[in-house]
Amino acid sequence: MRMWTYVIRRLLLIIPIIVGVMTITFVLVSALPLTERFTSYLGQPPRGESYNPTLAPGEGTCPANATSPCPNPYYHYALNKLGLNQGVWVQWGIWMYNSLTFHWGVAGNASNVVLADYPAAKGQPVTTVLGWFLPYTLELAALSLAIIMAIGIPLGNLAAVYRNRPVDQASRVMSFSGFALPTFLLGSLVLAGFLIAFGAPNGFHSYLCSGQSTYSDFTGSWPPAYCYANPDATNFGYPSWLTAGYISHPTGFPTVDALIHGQFWLAAETILRIILPALIIAYGTVAILLRFVRNSMLEVMNLDFVRTARSKGVPERQVVRRHAGRNSLNVTITVLGLTFAAFVGGFPVIEYLFQLKGVGQLLAYSIIYPVDFGLIFGTTLLFTFLVVGANLIVDLLYAFLDPRVRLG
Amino acid sequence: MAGATSEAGPSVIEQSVGGPTWRQRMAPRIAQSKRTWYFLRRNTLAMAGLVILLLIAGTAIYALTTNLSYTQMTLVCATNGDAANCLASPQTVCTYSPGVTPPGPGCYETPAGFPSVIAPTWGGVLSQPGPLPLGSLTVNPGVQYFYNTYDGLLRGADWSLLISISIVAAGATIGLFLGAISGYMGGVVDEGLMRLVDIFLSIPQLLFVIVVVTVLITLLPSTGAAFADHIYLLIAGFLVTWWPFYARIVRGQVLVVREQKYVEAARASGAGRGRIIARHIVPNSVYPVFIQMSLDVGTIPIIIGTIVFLGIRIFPSTYLPEWGTIAALSVTGLSSFWNSCQVSTCVIPWWQLLFPGLALFLFAISVNFLADGLRDALDPRLRR
């Protein structure tokens, strides 16, 4: 019973956060020039119309013999639509309504490089476009999280058990360098290393296409198009469920779709391509997790129940695993909750660097001039929702695992 | 995180006549600083971090004293004979003609006719390091202009330090103020401020910086904005996202400190609310803030580098010689270099990645070491 009260209270706490985040975006959007706001949230004006406040004589509905510029009716329509001719509170109300009903603006008004691959995306609602890209990001996130947990927990336990021995020292070096190495630098170093290792003349034959490997062999969500076009490189062309720009059907998740269509090579290829980026994303977060797991393990190893277990003759292996190690799950959940925002924030860089399709890449290309503000704010809201959702899940899991939280 | 660091020591008995001297008043703090320094000195990594940081600070001060208006990275020039295209450049480091004059040392010819990269050139003696001691920084492959990495790193150190220190100092001041009020007042004020902090912290920091900076850039006129305006803009963009961390840390610390006996004593002897916060609570809650500040000083150049890497132009036509920016440029230049180079004639410009990256890495890691040492020295529970 108490669990349910806790869940409901925790859910209610989300409301002020969502309202607050949307208010922050409202403040930021209000600072933009009017034209930017119109094009981002209403799309390009229809043919023959413009967002100029006034029409010159002879332009549009303005008679040619007018002595002064006429007011532009479409401009006033746009003002009215966003509530900009009314008070701030009305504007805020309209903004909140639109945000909560997922009217996040129109994508692809600026010449966006990513959207060049998706002619259909031009003029689409931001949420639709985000929906196309989100599955790629989620797959990458899932793989990174799996790697973080697979490395962080065992290594942290090892570092605690073999304290101040080489394992511990190595993990300490790893955690320090994880803080200090920027993602873009580490990613580029790894990519450069791969190219040096596998791109050397006559050394490596790319697993994709015959010949020397290039930058694009190690990057991209899907094999580069020229691999498909090259007849002696592969025996497959574009599968029909990969539409132009490589949006997959029916679920949108590339690996899942490849498996559904029975094309295991493509599923494997997809995972191969995100392993490297996932490892790099994991590196920074593993650094923090390692430290926390190690420290909590050290604390637990000195507690009475562990001593009791040892003294009654339980083998050391089992003491570490069963008695002390149980605790590291709690720590992992806490750390993942604390670092999820930073974890998600790393996606634009890594997706941009590895040319992976995803929401992060969308953001990275939207901020290059000319700026696509609809997509920028849409992406930020989406990532914020991911963080809020992740924190909710973390808190609920924590309450489920540790009764003190919900009862205390 | 550091928990209770309430080692204020025995309180000094106030002297009624003439008042205590500064040394008497500060005696417990001086004693604590000595103790901290003692533990810090025994920590090898922390001392290594301190030494590297002092070296960097020395470089920054040298840069500040030699050239205050160094706002753009120095360009150098490489030509295939027609120096006319490079006249605007201050220094020609390498000239060659395809098939006639072989390229000079460290200069690599490409099919396009332009050298793609220029390797570090050393004059043989340390005092004469050659024109490009750390090699060139190629931003646009196939262009005759290169940035001088050595110059950028040496004389850009002050920008890195100044920008990060001003952001961190301003953020910590705001956070200290709000956190102290929130923690001490409690009740509605605390609840409201902390929900506000929650809101700000739920937006991923990097994205928040990106959004705020892109919005602020549109507010500047596209041409003719003063150089300082762009710097202020950058700092403002970071500040908006930075203060909540400090507010949360300080508040947690204040909650512990305000229950201490000496605060109670101050209250009993009639001290006002403002005096208690300013004289008793804030001085005893700042140590975790110092640790966080020292960590953040190393993080900010990394984040600036990241936003430059993602393509945000903080300055419309130039790049600020700042370590994060230089590291980002080295990487963006490299990825386009990979795309354009044909493998058979490719030179791997390791210097382009190594030196700017190493500078940024050393800065961040030395700050990390120092912060870790400080944490150990200030928190008695973590002392080994």
Side-chain angles (χ1 to χ4, degrees):
Chain A
M1 283 307 277
R2 289 300 295 272
M3 185 69 196
W4 281 112
T5 357
Y6 179 82
V7 169
I8 289 168
R9 271 178 54 191
R10 185 63 188 75
L11 279 174
L12 285 179
L13 270 181
I14 285 187
I15 296 172
I17 289 185
I18 301 248
V19 171
V21 167
M22 285 175 173
T23 309
I24 291 175
T25 50
F26 171 71
V27 172
L28 288 172
V29 166
S30 307
L32 289 178
L34 273 185
T35 335
E36 294 285 359
R37 295 177 75 174
F38 289 152
T39 45
S40 309
Y41 290 95
L42 301 175
Q44 292 290 358
R47 187 175 295 275
E49 301 283 0
S50 75
Y51 286 130
N52 295 335
T54 53
L55 294 174
E59 187 188 353
T61 52
C62 198
N65 55 3
T67 49
S68 58
C70 330
N72 181 358
Y74 198 73
Y75 171 77
H76 289 280
Y77 159 79
L79 276 185
N80 199 35
K81 188 97 178 164
L82 295 181
L84 297 185
N85 48 4
Q86 296 176 65
V88 172
W89 289 107
V90 180
Q91 293 180 26
W92 180 79
I94 292 176
W95 174 261
M96 289 303 294
Y97 176 78
N98 283 343
S99 300
L100 290 173
T101 50
F102 294 99
H103 290 101
W104 290 0
V106 179
N109 295 302
S111 51
N112 189 312
V113 182
V114 173
L115 294 185
D117 275 353
Y118 297 82
K122 224 170 168 56
Q124 288 280 345
V126 165
T127 35
T128 311
V129 180
L130 288 180
W132 292 345
F133 284 82
L134 184 61
Y136 292 84
T137 303
L138 288 182
E139 280 195 355
L140 182 59
L143 190 65
S144 323
L145 278 178
I147 291 175
I148 287 171
M149 291 175 75
I151 295 178
I153 299 177
L155 207 56
N157 285 345
L158 269 183
V161 173
Y162 298 100
R163 191 182 170 185
N164 290 336
R165 303 271 281 280
V167 183
D168 192 20
Q169 307 290 6
S171 77
R172 195 173 296 159
V173 168
M174 195 173 148
S175 63
F176 273 126
S177 59
F179 284 122
L181 262 182
T183 319
F184 68 86
L185 203 59
L186 182 64
S188 309
L189 283 175
V190 170
L191 256 181
F194 262 64
L195 272 173
I196 293 169
F198 301 125
N202 309 321
F204 175 79
H205 283 267
S206 160
Y207 54 88
L208 273 176
C209 320
S210 62
Q212 250 115 44
S213 54
T214 59
Y215 183 70
S216 53
D217 274 359
F218 300 107
T219 56
S221 294
W222 297 100
Y226 64 82
C227 290
Y228 293 102
N230 188 351
D232 50 73
T234 50
N235 54 359
F236 38 80
Y238 284 115
S240 58
W241 49 276
L242 275 182
T243 53
Y246 320 139
I247 303 166
S248 63
H249 286 288
T251 61
F253 287 86
T255 318
V256 177
D257 284 341
L259 288 179
I260 287 176
H261 290 88
Q263 274 155 331
F264 301 105
W265 55 267
L266 202 52
E269 176 79 49
T270 313
I271 292 178
L272 263 182
R273 273 168 187 281
I274 58 175
I275 279 183
L276 207 53
L279 275 174
I280 292 167
I281 289 180
Y283 194 70
T285 312
V286 157
I288 305 167
L289 181 63
L290 254 179
R291 261 187 182 186
F292 272 77
V293 169
R294 174 182 176 273
N295 289 346
S296 81
M297 191 74 177
L298 279 179
E299 251 169 50
V300 170
M301 293 283 271
N302 288 330
L303 291 184
D304 285 346
F305 75 94
V306 174
R307 200 184 306 145
T308 311
R310 277 197 189 128
S311 61
K312 75 180 183 193
V314 180
E316 184 66 23
R317 241 179 111 82
Q318 221 167 18
V319 171
V320 171
R321 264 216 209 138
R322 288 249 180 95
H323 294 79
R326 287 274 169 97
N327 193 47
S328 47
L329 193 59
N330 278 2
V331 181
T332 311
I333 290 172
T334 319
V335 172
L336 288 184
L338 285 175
T339 56
F340 197 80
F343 168 76
V344 162
F347 278 80
V349 176
I350 210 76
E351 284 179 358
Y352 177 63
L353 186 64
F354 281 83
Q355 297 294 313
L356 298 174
K357 295 258 184 298
V359 183
Q361 194 198 26
L362 208 55
L363 175 79
Y365 280 120
S366 310
I367 58 183
I368 298 173
Y369 189 83
V371 184
D372 195 334
F373 280 104
L375 270 179
I376 289 186
F377 283 106
T379 326
T380 311
L381 277 181
L382 181 66
F383 273 132
T384 308
F385 287 168
L386 282 184
V387 170
V388 171
N391 282 340
L392 175 72
I393 293 172
V394 162
D395 278 5
L396 294 186
L397 264 181
Y398 208 78
F400 181 71
L401 288 174
D402 189 349
R404 282 174 301 180
V405 173
R406 59 178 192 268
L407 296 175
Chain B
M1 289 309 300
T5 55
S6 51
E7 277 187 276
S11 60
V12 181
I13 298 158
E14 298 254 337
Q15 294 174 354
S16 51
V17 186
T21 62
W22 182 84
R23 191 167 274 280
Q24 278 169 326
R25 268 192 292 118
M26 297 304 284
R29 299 218 195 293
I30 294 173
Q32 183 173 6
S33 316
K34 278 187 178 160
R35 222 162 30 233
T36 307
W37 173 238
Y38 170 74
F39 284 111
L40 200 62
R41 218 171 38 201
R42 297 189 352 171
N43 189 332
T44 325
L45 281 184
M47 289 320 285
L50 192 64
V51 168
I52 299 175
L53 261 189
L54 286 179
L55 280 178
I56 292 172
T59 317
I61 290 168
Y62 165 77
L64 265 180
T65 50
T66 46
N67 197 346
L68 260 176
S69 59
Y70 187 62
T71 55
Q72 214 181 101
M73 285 177 71
T74 310
L75 283 171
V76 289
C77 184
T79 65
N80 60 350
D82 54 340
N85 290 332
C86 254
L87 277 182
S89 173
Q91 192 183 17
T92 301
V93 291
C94 135
T95 312
Y96 71 100
S97 312
V100 184
T101 323
C107 189
Y108 293 94
E109 199 178 348
T110 57
F114 300 127
S116 57
V117 282
I118 301 171
T121 45
W122 284 86
V125 266
L126 271 177
S127 55
Q128 293 168 333
L132 287 175
L134 299 185
S136 71
L137 192 64
T138 310
V139 176
N140 302 308
V143 177
Q144 291 162 305
Y145 298 104
F146 303 92
Y147 287 116
N148 185 344
T149 311
Y150 173 74
D151 221 46
L153 287 183
L154 186 67
R155 303 205 298 181
D158 54 340
W159 280 118
S160 279
L161 276 181
L162 280 179
I163 291 178
S164 18
I165 287 176
S166 46
I167 291 169
V168 162
T173 312
I174 299 174
L176 206 59
F177 183 68
L178 291 181
I181 289 179
S182 171
Y184 188 73
M185 301 281 211
V188 183
V189 179
D190 183 28
E191 195 65 24
L193 275 173
M194 282 305 116
R195 289 295 81 74
L196 194 65
V197 165
D198 281 351
I199 291 165
F200 273 80
L201 288 186
S202 61
I203 305 177
Q205 197 184 10
L206 178 65
L207 305 193
F208 204 6
V209 172
I210 287 172
V211 170
V212 175
V213 170
T214 21
V215 169
L216 288 181
I217 284 175
T218 59
L219 300 185
L220 287 181
S222 52
T223 51
F227 181 82
D229 286 350
H230 291 273
I231 301 271
Y232 292 146
L233 176 149
L234 185 67
I235 293 176
F238 271 88
L239 258 191
V240 170
T241 62
W242 222 271
W243 66 269
F245 289 95
Y246 290 108
R248 182 174 271 186
I249 292 171
V250 173
R251 183 227 177 216
Q253 195 62 23
V254 167
L255 284 184
V256 174
V257 171
R258 75 168 184 188
E259 303 300 331
Q260 300 291 327
K261 285 276 186 284
Y262 54 86
V263 176
E264 206 175 304
R267 202 177 296 132
S269 55
R273 196 177 261 177
R275 187 185 164 85
I276 291 179
I277 291 183
R279 300 296 293 275
H280 296 277
I281 289 187
V282 167
N284 285 301
S285 336
V286 287
Y287 297 117
V289 176
F290 284 155
I291 294 165
Q292 185 66 32
M293 278 171 82
S294 52
L295 276 176
D296 284 349
V297 166
T299 315
I300 285 171
I302 290 180
I303 294 189
I304 295 182
T306 307
I307 67 176
V308 171
F309 171 78
L310 286 177
I312 290 185
R313 297 298 300 267
I314 300 159
F315 297 93
S317 57
T318 73
Y319 290 107
L320 185 69
E322 183 270 338
W323 285 8
T325 311
I326 298 175
L329 288 182
S330 75
V331 166
T332 45
L334 198 71
S335 57
S336 49
F337 173 77
W338 289 125
N339 277 333
S340 69
C341 91
Q342 293 157 1
V343 177
S344 54
T345 58
C346 237
V347 179
I348 287 146
W350 52 269
W351 56 88
Q352 181 166 335
L353 269 179
L354 181 69
F355 296 119
L358 198 63
L360 195 59
F361 178 74
L362 276 183
F363 183 41
I365 206 161
S366 62
V367 155
N368 258 302
F369 283 156
L370 189 62
D372 209 56
L374 266 181
R375 184 179 301 152
D376 284 359
L378 287 172
D379 192 342
R381 292 177 309 167
L382 289 174
R383 259 176 221 154
R384 288 183 282 264

